[in-house]
Amino acid sequence: DTAVSQTPKYLVTQMGNDKSIKCEQNLGHDTMYWYKQDSKKFLKIMFSYNNKELIINETVPNRFSPKSPDKAHLNLHINSLELGDSAVYFCASSQGPSQGQETQYFGPGTRLLVL
Amino acid sequence: QKEVEQNSGPLSVPEGAIASLNCTYSDRGSQSFFWYRQYSGKSPELIMFIYSNGDKEDGRFTAQLNKASQYVSLLIRDSQPSDSATYLCAVNYQKVTFGTGTKLQVIP
């Protein structure tokens, strides 16, 4: 049983396309996150939701739009893909955002390549 | 100034030695500190967390926190080739921020 799953694992697409990445967790956690890890391995937070509410919204282009239909799911939609969007996108979840709850469990990652 | 800083390495240690990984952070109000390990092509996984000043031991791993110096470290005793990975320091101040990671190579 995978705790945090993401689909697809690999995504190769052309510039200008729109794509979505899906994430699901079966840990019963309240908080979910999207991270971008670039070629230099820097893991940067993009968004966080707690119980379906957006609590962290870092400075990312508004071409990126998260959506949380319920607390077990957090999807990421990307419009008008650009070369610089190529990276590994990780979904993660934690019990909550507060101290003692914030240990994060990561999904396997989605490797996005924009051509 | 980066919020969480780590030496990118690589840090090379012989098998059986102690590996020492360091991390400094800028926000004095930071409350929680984490070490994650990331193997190449895989996702980060938690090794340890620490909240209070001092040392916390778990098997071959010891996390050390000094809030006055804004410094957290991870010691790996009896290093094994399987410990070769990138180690990410993460600090929680309003949100969890990751360092850029230190690549550790354990030489057999």
Side-chain angles (χ1 to χ4, degrees):
Chain A
D1 260 1
T2 306
V4 182
S5 58
Q6 293 178 231
T7 53
K9 281 190 90 172
Y10 299 95
L11 190 50
V12 181
T13 188
Q14 298 288 331
M15 262 193 335
N17 283 350
D18 303 339
K19 290 292 178 188
S20 291
I21 308 172
K22 295 188 175 185
C23 179
E24 177 181 0
Q25 54 95 4
N26 63 6
L27 297 167
H29 288 169
D30 284 346
T31 307
M32 296 185 73
Y33 310 80
W34 276 113
Y35 287 89
K36 178 181 180 181
Q37 189 169 47
D38 59 26
S39 56
K40 294 183 180 177
K41 305 300 181 187
F42 180 48
L43 194 64
K44 182 166 171 45
I45 191 163
M46 302 172 70
F47 304 103
S48 177
Y49 274 73
N50 186 53
N51 259 320
K52 301 195 299 175
E53 283 197 32
L54 183 65
I55 57 171
I56 294 174
N57 185 1
E58 291 293 289
T59 308
V60 300
N62 56 17
R63 299 182 294 103
F64 290 80
S65 51
K67 192 167 281 187
S68 182
D70 55 61
K71 71 175 194 177
H73 296 85
L74 180 61
N75 303 324
L76 183 66
H77 188 76
I78 315 170
N79 287 326
S80 303
L81 277 154
E82 299 178 359
L83 294 177
D85 297 332
S86 296
V88 181
Y89 292 83
F90 285 104
C91 175
S93 73
S94 68
Q95 278 185 289
S98 308
Q99 188 183 40
Q101 299 181 314
E102 74 277 59
T103 296
Q104 294 185 25
Y105 296 82
F106 284 81
T110 295
R111 283 145 186 84
L112 172 65
L113 178 60
V114 182
L115 301 174
Chain B
Q1 183 190 2
K2 287 184 184 172
E3 295 170 38
V4 181
E5 291 207 49
Q6 297 180 253
N7 189 319
S8 60
L11 172 67
S12 294
V13 299
E15 184 175 354
I18 295 175
S20 177
L21 303 156
N22 304 315
C23 172
T24 58
Y25 60 94
S26 60
D27 289 309
R28 282 202 170 272
S30 300
Q31 297 290 325
S32 312
F33 307 86
F34 305 85
W35 283 100
Y36 285 81
R37 177 177 60 200
Q38 186 175 23
Y39 291 113
S40 181
K42 301 294 185 183
S43 54
E45 54 179 342
L46 181 77
I47 299 175
M48 292 189 72
F49 60 86
I50 186 167
Y51 299 143
S52 306
N53 275 332
D55 295 0
K56 180 181 179 183
E57 190 174 314
D58 184 1
R60 295 186 297 113
F61 298 97
T62 299
Q64 298 175 315
L65 175 62
N66 183 327
K67 289 186 179 180
S69 301
Q70 294 174 243
Y71 172 95
V72 58
S73 64
L74 179 71
L75 301 178
I76 307 174
R77 287 181 299 283
D78 188 23
S79 295
Q80 301 296 309
S82 58
D83 294 327
S84 297
T86 296
Y87 289 79
L88 302 169
C89 172
V91 175
N92 191 1
Y93 176 69
Q94 298 178 342
K95 68 177 189 290
V96 176
T97 300
F98 283 81
T100 50
T102 297
K103 186 171 184 177
L104 173 66
Q105 294 175 340
V106 180
I107 314 298

